[in-house]
Amino acid sequence: MSATVEDPQNSTWAAYRGRLQDYFDRTALDAWAQLTSDAPVSKVRATVRAGRDEMRSLLLSWLPSDLTGLRILDAGCGTGALAVEAARRGANVVAIDVSASLIDIARERAPNDLAGSIDWQAGDMMQPELGQFDHVVAMDSLIHYPTREIEDVVAALSYRTRGSMVFTVTPRTPALMLMLMAGKLFPRADRAPAIAPADIDILARRLSGLPGRQLTRTRRVSAGFYTSQALELVRR
């Protein structure tokens, strides 16, 4: 592990976290709340919503169908849709996000019958106080970090995860790079925070070298202005 992960106060890691917190808490809270609801959205956001829905279903399908009694970390939980679905399968979910405002929305939206099954927290998903987990899910919470930082985060979480880790990154493709450039032409409310496309082949090789871990499957989801690559790491 690099110092970036070991020390949460490291300037690089803190800078990433600070930019995301500022974006979600100040710049785009209303837009994000709308995107993750059933409210009408623009054509651009509609493709992002559809892609996220497909990706969330995919990641959940990679987890055991029965999660009764298992402890799950939803790292970068946003407004909580994935955490709720995991809890409905019987999981005890620690749902954490850097944005306190998104956590407030998640708490408000959470069904009453799941009270006690989800521990909503605003903070850093890397803090060791969160403890050990049976499975870790990180949907679109690592897409803003360079490939090396993604590797460090996954490696650090791996030591605290007994079972599988499923997460997403943004694949570096010519088509996606054009989309990201085109996205700068859209109104600011339709833009996501800066995305750092990852070289999937390089990342896969590095993750395959993690002690006791094996990269078992990967799948890409593309829907209009949403493109994300899911990966699964399991214990050897």
Side-chain angles (χ1 to χ4, degrees), residues 10-77:
N10 175 275
S11 59
T12 302
W13 179 255
Y16 290 147
R17 190 175 65 238
R19 287 197 296 269
L20 292 178
Q21 183 175 358
D22 184 71
Y23 173 81
F24 287 114
D25 279 343
R26 301 182 183 181
T27 306
L29 179 62
D30 291 341
W32 196 254
Q34 185 181 47
L35 175 68
T36 57
S37 70
D38 295 327
V41 292
S42 70
K43 291 182 179 180
V44 171
R45 292 188 206 169
T47 66
V48 176
R49 176 188 282 172
R52 285 179 54 81
D53 288 346
E54 182 179 350
M55 179 58 79
R56 182 171 60 253
S57 295
L58 174 64
L59 296 183
L60 285 166
S61 75
W62 287 0
L63 295 176
S65 56
D66 184 1
L67 296 172
T68 302
L70 298 183
R71 195 163 189 260
I72 307 297
L73 174 65
D74 184 357
C77 65

Side-chain angles (χ1 to χ4, degrees), residues 184-206:
K184 296 179 181 179
L185 302 177
F186 286 94
R188 183 171 297 275
D190 280 331
R191 302 181 199 171
I195 292 174
D199 187 310
I200 300 299
D201 291 338
I202 292 176
L203 181 61
R205 286 198 300 271
R206 289 177 175 173

Side-chain angles (χ1 to χ4, degrees), residues 156-168:
L157 289 175
S158 174
Y159 288 104
R160 295 192 278 132
T161 307
R162 291 180 283 269
S164 66
M165 305 175 67
V166 294
F167 56 96
T168 65

